[in-house]
Amino acid sequence: MTERERTYSIWPFLAVFLLLGAVGLAGILVVGNPTTPTETIPAFTTTSTTTPSSTAPEPAVTVPGGAPAPDGVKGVVVADGTTTYDFRRPAELSTGPLRAAAARSLVTAGIDGSSLVVGIACTLSDDEVLARIAVSESTEGVDVTAVVVDGDGGSTCSAGAPVRQVEIPLASPLAGRPITVAVAGTPVAVPPA
């Protein structure tokens, strides 16, 4: 008697494999992966890191005529034909030994002649800040004094220090009136902070 080779169909093995795969996939979807811990992420909330302030916001500073004052101006005073623009300065330049001087300034007429463009170059040191610009107007001319302040004994001006430009409105159009600028470096009283 000779033995015949037996052959088996692959279909029953394939059906069992697919059934086991379906049961495993269903188990993972229903139960989850037991080796991976899960955690609940809290809902996103916003919190303020600043404490509420009891002080009211500073009122907007305006120039004569009601337009907004140039950037950095903390107050504008008009008296006896002179408009004075006081600028904010850092806390470290509010007290202590300070020095002030008339700034190196280049003053030109604005585009329409109703303002002045004041360019302020380094005068005392790289640490100086613009403290004040005073503009006195009369029928004969316009006088401009820009004042810079720094700590007493500050450094010197470095080459290529930037020039700050501020546009200041005039009470009346320039109309050919000459502009006089204070002599640069002239010591002046330190404006109040």
Side-chain angles (χ1 to χ4, degrees):
M1 180 159 148
T2 63
E3 275 194 45
R4 265 183 66 194
E5 270 189 49
R6 288 181 103 187
T7 59
Y8 299 98
S9 173
I10 194 168
W11 292 112
F13 293 111
L14 185 59
V16 170
F17 179 74
L18 287 175
L19 181 63
L20 286 175
V23 170
L25 180 61
I28 290 176
L29 292 176
V30 172
V31 177
N33 187 351
T35 60
T36 305
T38 59
E39 64 181 80
T40 304
I41 298 174
F44 178 74
T45 58
T46 58
T47 58
S48 175
T49 57
T50 60
T51 57
S53 172
S54 61
T55 60
E58 289 185 26
V61 179
T62 58
V63 297
D71 285 343
V73 172
K74 69 174 184 172
V76 179
V77 177
V78 180
D80 301 324
T82 300
T83 305
T84 304
Y85 300 86
D86 288 317
F87 290 79
R88 289 180 198 87
R89 52 187 200 233
E92 63 267 13
L93 289 179
S94 296
T95 59
L98 301 175
R99 62 183 178 163
R104 286 192 314 141
S105 306
L106 174 63
V107 181
T108 57
I111 293 173
D112 61 359
S114 64
S115 64
L116 297 176
V117 177
V118 183
I120 296 106
C122 185
T123 306
L124 297 172
S125 75
D126 288 334
D127 301 324
E128 73 188 18
V129 295
L130 177 61
R132 172 176 285 172
I133 295 177
V135 179
S136 298
E137 293 186 56
S138 68
T139 55
E140 291 81 34
V142 178
D143 296 329
V144 179
T145 303
V147 177
V148 292
V149 173
D150 79 345
D152 194 20
S155 62
T156 59
C157 292
S158 61
V163 174
R164 178 176 180 181
Q165 288 192 331
V166 180
E167 189 166 2
I168 301 292
L170 291 169
S172 59
L174 194 58
R177 292 182 291 171
I179 301 170
T180 305
V181 179
V183 177
T186 303
V188 298
V190 176

